[in-house]
Amino acid sequence: MNAFCRSFGGHKVSDLRIGVVGYGTGGRNFHTPFIEAAQGITLAGVVTRSTERTAEVAADWPGVPVFGSLDDMVAAGVDAVTITTPPGTHPELAFQAIAAGLHVMVDKPFAPSAAEGRELAAAADRAGVVLSAYHNRRWDADARTLAGVLSEGRLGKLWRVYSRMDQHNPGSLTAGAADGLLLDLGSHLVDQLIWLLGPVRSVNAHVDWVETDSGCTDAGFTLDLVHTSGARSYAEASKANHAEARELRAYGSKGSYLSLASDVQAAAVLSGLRPAAKPEDWGYEDRGHWPILSTASGRQRIPSLQGRWQDLYGAFAKAIRDGGPAPVPAGEAIRTLQVLDAARESALAGSTVEVGVP
């Protein structure tokens, strides 16, 4: 019997009890507000050893218990956990949660490498628990809107897509096997592009290196991806160039698509708003940021679809309750890591690298 059923005497109930491990920027802003807004899931606790973070949890989520360790949270009783601690700690904590029979959501990067991701996936399979990656940006307003345009065939045969995400935040760059911008923003961009265009066959990468207090790390990248469909995509990002931008461009046989988005969900939650307060209004880009579709018929603004990061958590709870697949299965996270592994190899070798089979 899995942890979800075991916690309730084998009876299915409406809400999955999830604990959040870590309450830094990610746990506080990009997880707990969306757990609150999701269907079928309840925030059951937070793990943090920081006095400051403990006070923040008490202010943000009155009555939600705080635990000093994952073991303490497991002993108190939860059905699942989200791992949102520093990237290098993800595998150890995920293995610990899986061994305790918990379902697990792992923030990006899912693992430092595809090989380590496979080890996590194998452990989850053996334990019979649901393991999902928190690739929440599949639920971005701009990505959802482009997916709709592509599914309707409005660009004809798709030729290429450009995805750019610049965030000037050099202080957040650290060196380590699970650190650097490729595994940070690269996890988001590559996952989105595979979700939109399908598997990647080869990668050619350029990486910008900087020296930090913790060592040398990557602060920017440009990836040239060839997909098995024949389409091409280009992903680029930076954190040390005094640039702030989010851009999606697509070109096909019938025209082009340009989106200059505001990253509306991140902006809203960082300003103190919560998606549960007005879910019907959440996650829409304003008209000035609606994408432009250009075809033989002319240019037109395409209304923004709704961005809903909370749906990833709702789908996670549903997968556990109904026995279906995870919203972002471990295999898909591993596929993204394979591309990132190949990108690192390409950047170091200065040549195109083929991506292996997951």
Side-chain angles (χ1 to χ4, degrees):
M1 185 182 298
N2 68 32
F4 185 53
C5 294
R6 185 170 62 244
S7 299
F8 297 95
H11 298 290
K12 292 183 179 179
V13 297
S14 58
D15 281 359
L16 176 83
R17 298 180 304 166
I18 191 167
V20 173
V21 184
Y23 204 68
T25 297
R28 189 178 194 189
N29 297 301
F30 298 112
H31 288 276
T32 51
F34 297 94
I35 290 170
E36 179 193 31
Q39 296 293 315
I41 196 164
T42 296
L43 179 63
V46 174
V47 173
T48 180
R49 295 189 182 97
S50 163
T51 302
E52 179 184 355
R53 300 300 187 202
T54 299
E56 289 172 347
V57 174
D60 296 341
W61 308 106
V64 171
V66 176
F67 303 95
S69 69
L70 177 55
D71 283 338
D72 290 343
M73 177 183 277
V74 171
V78 292
D79 308 303
V81 293
T82 284
I83 308 299
T84 178
T85 49
T89 66
H90 289 180
E92 179 183 356
L93 289 166
F95 279 124
Q96 184 180 346
I98 290 167
L102 300 180
H103 307 286
V104 183
M105 178 80 76
V106 183
D107 204 345
K108 55 82 187 168
F110 179 70
S113 67
E116 289 163 284
R118 290 188 193 96
E119 292 175 1
L120 274 181
D125 285 344
R126 289 192 298 269
V129 299
V130 175
L131 176 64
S132 183
Y134 192 68
H135 287 313
N136 58 317
R137 289 188 174 274
R138 295 187 188 186
W139 286 264
D140 275 357
D142 58 351
R144 290 272 153 176
T145 306
L146 176 56
V149 168
L150 295 178
S151 69
E152 294 167 2
R154 300 176 75 176
L155 287 178
K157 178 178 173 56
L158 185 64
W159 292 339
R160 60 191 185 276
V161 172
Y162 296 80
S163 181
R164 173 189 174 203
M165 184 179 286
D166 292 329
Q167 298 177 352
H168 185 67
N169 190 9
S172 69
L173 293 167
T174 55
D179 296 308
L181 204 63
L182 266 174
L183 284 171
D184 178 13
L185 298 185
S187 292
H188 285 318
L189 298 186
V190 170
D191 177 73
Q192 276 189 346
L193 290 167
I194 295 174
W195 176 67
L196 287 166
L197 307 181
V200 171
R201 185 172 71 234
S202 66
V203 183
N204 195 295
H206 170 79
V207 170
D208 305 316
W209 300 96
V210 297
E211 194 68 40
T212 70
D213 291 342
S214 55
C216 186
T217 194
D218 50 301
F221 61 79
T222 299
L223 309 181
D224 176 355
L225 310 177
V226 178
H227 296 259
T228 57
S229 65
R232 213 169 186 129
S233 66
Y234 302 85
E236 62 180 55
S238 71
K239 270 198 174 181
N241 294 98
H242 304 277
E244 294 280 349
R246 175 64 181 134
E247 179 180 4
L248 270 174
R249 286 183 286 139
Y251 297 85
S253 59
K254 291 184 179 179
S256 64
Y257 171 101
L258 172 63
S259 169
L260 300 173
S262 70
D263 202 2
V264 61
Q265 294 187 86
V269 77
L270 289 172
S271 72
L273 300 177
R274 288 185 180 177
K278 290 187 176 180
E280 68 280 3
D281 297 330
W282 181 263
Y284 289 100
E285 293 282 357
D286 65 42
R287 190 178 184 89
H289 290 286
W290 284 4
I292 298 171
L293 179 66
S294 301
T295 66
S297 301
R299 289 160 53 91
Q300 60 176 304
R301 288 277 185 182
I302 305 296
S304 168
L305 296 185
Q306 187 177 24
R308 293 178 56 88
W309 293 344
Q310 61 267 36
D311 284 355
L312 195 164
Y313 271 115
F316 183 57
K318 186 176 187 300
I320 294 165
R321 183 179 64 247
D322 298 342
V328 182
E332 294 181 11
I334 292 164
R335 188 171 59 181
T336 293
L337 287 170
Q338 281 189 292
V339 175
L340 297 173
D341 288 348
R344 281 193 295 266
E345 182 182 346
S346 170
L348 292 172
S351 62
T352 298
V353 173
E354 298 296 313
V355 177
V357 177

